[in-house]
Amino acid sequence: MSATEHPPDRSLAEAAAERVEERRGPASVWSIALSEIGALDRAVYEAIERTPTPSLDDPLRRLSNAANGSRLWLAIAALVAVFGGKRGRRAALEGVVAIGITSASINLGAKSVATRPRPERADPATFAARHIAMPASSSFPSGHSATAFAFAFAVGRHMPILALPIRLLAGCVAYARVHLGVHYPVDVAIGSIAGAAIGSMVASATDGIAERRRRRA
């Protein structure tokens, strides 16, 4: 599936709806639902794009840039490992592993399959403080959102006191990607869900390894 099959003015859900319609007809429940999701996805993106938010633009740009390459999460992992004791070290290690697996799964796997073009941003001069470089990779799903929620799940389950603030921070990173015009809402929603799911699978695997070690001891 090439990028030309999904022009910028048509969402991934709308493109999928057309495929379903070709196979099952225009009255298909799935075709109608996907069309509506696609239209809503685009409408929410455009509403955010048009709304002036000068007090949010620069902080969200800085937050998004801090999350590039998962630098924000790696810095938090280092702090948790240093000041969180044995539990913190386990949380940090699991968080870093979750980031690595999620990044590989999303950036090397999902993005190569769903080659969705990035949004068409308005004139950058309209909201100059929002401007960041447009990534060259596929828009769907959001890698920033996926790694954010994978890390938040891993750390939050070991350190409940950090669970809420770190998940709120992950949510802010996800929203920032839409606010800055580099993702559609569905991109970050699916990325967030996928990241949390991968984080959960990493947690299950590490719990299983820990349990086997206890049995051998």
Side-chain angles (χ1 to χ4, degrees), residues 48-64:
I48 292 171
E49 182 185 42
R50 291 192 302 264
T51 304
T53 51
S55 62
L56 293 178
D57 293 348
D58 188 59
L60 288 175
R61 178 177 57 82
R62 291 175 181 273
L63 178 62
S64 176

Side-chain angles (χ1 to χ4, degrees), residues 11 28 40 44 54 58 63-64 77 84-85 87 97 100 113 146 149 164 175 177 180 191 209 216:
S11 76
S28 165
L40 182 62
V44 172
D58 188 59
L63 178 62
S64 176
R87 179 181 291 184
V97 171
V113 174
F149 277 88
L164 180 59
Y175 171 74
R177 303 300 286 173
L180 299 170
I209 293 171
R216 292 195 195 104

Side-chain angles (χ1 to χ4, degrees), residues 2-190:
S2 68
T4 56
E5 293 180 48
H6 300 302
D9 61 348
R10 183 175 61 163
S11 76
L12 195 67
E14 288 169 324
E18 289 186 11
R19 293 293 181 88
V20 173
E21 184 176 328
E22 290 173 2
R23 295 180 181 180
R24 301 191 178 186
S28 165
V29 172
W30 281 106
S31 176
I32 294 170
L34 286 168
S35 295
E36 292 175 352
I37 291 170
L40 182 62
D41 186 30
R42 211 157 17 89
V44 172
Y45 173 82
E46 290 171 357
I48 292 171
E49 182 185 42
R50 291 192 302 264
T51 304
T53 51
S55 62
L56 293 178
D57 293 348
D58 188 59
L60 288 175
R61 178 177 57 82
R62 291 175 181 273
L63 178 62
S64 176
N65 286 337
N68 288 345
S70 297
R71 293 194 304 266
L72 173 63
W73 313 118
L74 295 175
I76 293 174
L79 292 173
V80 168
V82 171
F83 298 106
K86 183 177 180 180
R87 179 181 291 184
R89 289 191 292 275
R90 182 177 178 185
L93 176 60
E94 190 173 304
V96 171
V97 171
I99 286 173
I101 293 175
T102 302
S103 181
S105 301
I106 298 298
N107 295 317
L108 302 179
K111 282 181 178 287
S112 64
V113 174
T115 53
R116 183 184 195 183
R118 296 279 174 171
E120 285 287 326
R121 289 191 293 200
D123 181 0
T126 304
F127 302 121
R130 293 188 189 184
H131 182 72
I132 60 172
M134 182 68 78
S137 60
S138 171
S139 187
F140 181 89
S142 167
H144 278 68
S145 303
T147 53
F149 277 88
F151 180 78
F153 182 93
V155 172
R157 82 185 193 102
H158 289 293
M159 308 193 74
I161 194 171
L162 295 179
L164 180 59
I166 205 166
R167 284 169 184 166
L168 287 174
L169 186 60
C172 288
V173 168
Y175 171 74
R177 303 300 286 173
V178 179
H179 190 88
L180 299 170
V182 296
H183 278 293
Y184 292 99
V186 164
D187 300 338
V188 301
I190 299 301

